[in-house]
Amino acid sequence: MTGSVRPTPVVSGNASPGWHRWALAAILLLALALRVVDLGGESVWIDEGFSIRLARMPLPELLPAASHDIHPPLYYFLLHFWVGLFGSSEAAVRSLSVVFGMLGIALVARLGRRWLGAETGLLAAFLLAISPFHVHYSQEARAYAQNLFFTLLSLVAFLSWMEHGGTRRALVYVAATALMVYTHSYGWLAVLAQNLVAVLPRFRPLRPRGPNLAVWFLSQAGLGLLFLPWLAVLRTQVHLVQISFYAGAPTWLTLGGTLIGYAGSPALLALSLLGFGWAALRVGGTGEDSVRPRRVAELLVLWIVLLVFVPFAISNLWFPTYIRRATMGALPAWYLLVAAGVARMRSVRWQAALVAAFTILCAIELASYYREVNKERWREAVRAIEREARAGDLVLFNQWYSKRDAYDYYARRTDLVLLPFPELGQPWGADPEARLERLVADRARVWVVFSHSSDTQGVIVRTLGRRYRLAWHQAYENRSLDRSRYREFVGVDAYRFER
């Protein structure tokens, strides 16, 4: 190891704290600008519509409704109060995620500064600020930006308790971790990482005044008690995922897509791996003061392994549960490691070149993100149907939840007949064509809306095509940032059949 030779950083570790505050303020302003661009420009998609529908419910109804989802309820409770203050327009509901996205960037700067150096913290915050992956989910009315923030908050509280000890820090840790696991179930994998750090001898340098094992396990018991009210619901949610998770078992291509998504592009992945390589070589060294940074780097690697690779393995060995955006809590660890490697390069020119390359490549990806349609285009689809529909027209939805959670958000007309097919709670059955013909027998015009379709055999369009003339069809396509998704889950298809 040559870690005893101090590399020259892009941002000097000797710079004044005030200078660092100004630099972080500039990063946060840039991050805010990137996250408010066209915030309400795209339509609400189905998952966002679900969030909004729950948030609009009275509190006594919200918790039972949330229990039918596959996620814990904290985000929906927070969004409920947010909607009460700011309304439920596209921009308003997404702005809560903007806030959590900004808080996550500030927290990653603090974590990096405290444990890996001021230059590492600032660079990690900058990379997270311009990350296309983080920008996207900071503009979505779902819990992913919140998940990242509370995962970071739990980690910061954990490390503080391990370093300084004390009852107050223990209570802060338990509270932060409870918020994390009530935001996303993958948070329990982060808890597993914390338990390994708390008990393994290798991580002893990170816990000089931390609790003994009895106190540590008492804190875990307290966390379990706080989660106990939701435990029975979690069992039901796990069963629901086991029988109905749409994405199927991930492949190695899915995992590769996750890493590319984290980085932003294949070229950015190559740069990130270069940063990882330097981090492996340069973080730490032979001196006593260098042991803790290396153990922190190992903790970050453990964080990524448990939040990304363990769900991948579970999905292939037990039941599918893996989806890229659910691993969001590992993203700060990714950028902290990249930043640690870049900040420890010997050559200032190499550092500047890599930072410039990251900036340019992220700018290219963000330009593509802002230019293309990334969410389902329900606003356009509903407006087209309501503009051309006649009173009494039948509108069929292959998936009723697409009507409930997306179509209804934009619908204004009440003179149309809206029905699901297959019927609610009914499977396709042995003779769906005959049931569909009976359903539309007295209709002169029938509209059909497909999204996340279960009609893989084209039964609906084929059956209606025998009785009606296809008068209009429009495919409202969008780009999917999730490379693990199947093609049929991308977009909205609308048809009009006439006699």
Side-chain angles (χ1 to χ4, degrees):
M1 289 289 181
T2 59
S4 58
V5 179
R6 174 67 174 172
T8 304
V10 174
V11 180
S12 172
N14 297 321
S16 69
W19 194 95
H20 283 113
R21 286 194 292 269
W22 282 108
L24 179 58
I27 290 170
L28 291 173
L29 284 175
L30 172 63
L32 180 62
L34 293 175
R35 283 153 182 77
V36 299
V37 170
D38 199 33
L39 185 60
E42 291 200 43
S43 300
V44 164
W45 75 290
I46 284 177
D47 282 11
E48 290 183 304
F50 179 85
S51 298
I52 297 167
R53 182 170 62 84
L54 263 62
R56 285 170 165 172
M57 290 180 175
L59 281 178
E61 299 177 17
L62 196 159
L63 186 60
S67 68
H68 296 291
D69 188 26
I70 61 172
H71 300 300
L74 180 59
Y75 173 74
Y76 304 122
F77 276 90
L78 296 180
L79 188 62
H80 169 85
F81 293 104
W82 192 265
V83 165
L85 289 172
F86 301 106
S88 56
S89 68
E90 294 94 339
V93 296
R94 290 169 181 157
S95 60
L96 177 60
S97 293
V98 173
V99 171
F100 278 113
M102 300 295 294
L103 291 173
I105 294 167
L107 205 53
V108 81
R110 175 180 175 179
L111 177 62
R113 181 181 71 246
R114 176 65 187 85
W115 292 94
L116 294 168
E119 63 274 13
T120 297
L122 284 176
L123 183 53
F126 174 71
L127 294 176
L128 190 60
I130 64 174
S131 161
F133 190 66
H134 192 257
V135 169
H136 176 84
Y137 289 108
S138 296
Q139 290 193 314
E140 185 160 295
R142 296 293 287 165
Y144 302 111
Q146 176 180 309
N147 178 33
L148 181 146
F149 169 72
F150 282 130
T151 302
L152 267 175
L153 188 65
S154 174
L155 177 58
V156 169
F158 169 77
L159 289 173
S160 177
W161 186 28
M162 293 297 106
E163 183 180 21
H164 300 290
T167 302
R168 182 180 63 83
R169 289 186 176 88
L171 294 175
V172 170
Y173 160 73
V174 171
T177 307
L179 293 172
M180 175 179 68
V181 297
Y182 268 108
T183 296
H184 201 285
S185 297
Y186 273 28
W188 289 108
L189 298 171
V191 174
L192 175 58
Q194 293 165 353
N195 274 270
L196 292 175
V197 173
V199 302
L200 292 179
R202 183 168 185 81
F203 291 102
R204 189 172 291 116
L206 298 183
R207 48 180 202 267
R209 297 181 180 85
N212 59 36
L213 287 180
V215 174
W216 169 253
F217 287 120
L218 181 63
S219 76
Q220 300 305 284
L223 177 62
L225 285 175
L226 289 175
F227 195 77
L228 191 60
W230 195 253
L231 186 60
V233 178
L234 178 62
R235 293 195 190 100
T236 302
Q237 291 175 327
V238 168
H239 176 70
L240 178 64
V241 170
Q242 287 176 314
I243 63 175
S244 64
F245 190 63
Y246 73 86
T251 66
W252 289 107
L253 183 63
T254 309
L255 186 61
T258 297
L259 301 183
I260 292 173
Y262 271 25
S265 71
L268 282 165
L269 177 59
L271 290 180
S272 297
L273 294 177
L274 179 61
F276 286 152
W278 273 106
L281 292 172
R282 305 294 296 169
V283 173
T286 57
E288 183 178 345
D289 292 341
S290 65
V291 174
R292 290 213 299 173
R294 180 167 289 278
R295 295 297 174 265
V296 170
E298 292 171 356
L299 165 59
L300 296 176
V301 171
L302 179 64
W303 208 271
I304 293 172
V305 168
L306 288 176
L307 267 72
V308 176
F309 292 89
V310 168
F312 177 83
I314 290 173
S315 295
N316 282 283
L317 299 175
W318 189 12
F319 64 91
T321 183
Y322 185 92
I323 189 165
R324 185 178 69 178
R325 58 184 179 268
T327 68
M328 190 81 170
L331 190 63
W334 176 280
Y335 281 120
L336 282 164
L337 288 171
V338 172
V342 173
R344 285 163 173 75
M345 288 183 170
R346 291 179 180 273
S347 169
V348 175
R349 291 182 179 178
W350 269 105
Q351 290 176 326
L354 279 174
V355 173
F358 269 108
T359 304
I360 292 169
L361 290 171
C362 282
I364 292 171
E365 290 299 316
L366 285 171
S368 175
Y369 166 73
Y370 292 129
R371 184 174 59 250
E372 298 187 33
V373 179
N374 303 287
K375 293 179 171 65
E376 295 163 1
R377 297 159 59 189
W378 283 98
R379 184 193 297 129
E380 296 173 54
V382 175
R383 286 177 179 174
I385 292 171
E386 293 201 336
R387 183 175 58 248
E388 301 296 332
R390 300 171 186 168
D393 277 3
L394 173 63
V395 184
L396 292 179
F397 296 86
N398 174 233
Q399 297 284 20
W400 190 244
Y401 62 78
S402 67
K403 177 265 181 191
R404 180 195 63 193
D405 293 330
Y407 183 95
D408 284 354
Y409 180 84
Y410 291 105
R412 298 295 179 266
R413 293 182 58 172
T414 59
D415 58 347
L416 305 179
V417 179
L418 311 177
L419 294 175
F421 190 85
E423 302 86 343
L424 282 178
Q426 297 297 317
W428 279 93
D431 195 1
E433 296 183 3
R435 298 204 322 270
L436 178 57
E437 288 180 350
R438 289 194 296 270
L439 184 65
V440 303
D442 60 344
R443 302 290 176 177
R445 292 172 27 126
V446 178
W447 300 77
V448 185
V449 180
F450 292 99
S451 177
H452 302 249
S453 175
S454 66
D455 189 5
T456 57
Q457 304 300 316
V459 171
I460 295 175
V461 170
R462 184 174 64 248
T463 302
L464 293 176
R466 291 199 296 263
R467 299 177 59 92
Y468 296 87
R469 172 180 63 88
L470 177 60
W472 175 81
H473 169 235
Q474 179 66 52
Y476 298 92
E477 296 186 359
N478 62 277
R479 181 179 75 157
S480 173
L481 296 188
D482 194 336
R483 290 172 171 83
S484 71
R485 281 191 162 193
Y486 297 109
R487 173 63 188 85
E488 60 263 33
F489 286 96
V490 181
V492 180
D493 271 354
Y495 295 79
R496 184 177 79 240
F497 291 91
E498 299 179 352
R499 291 197 186 276

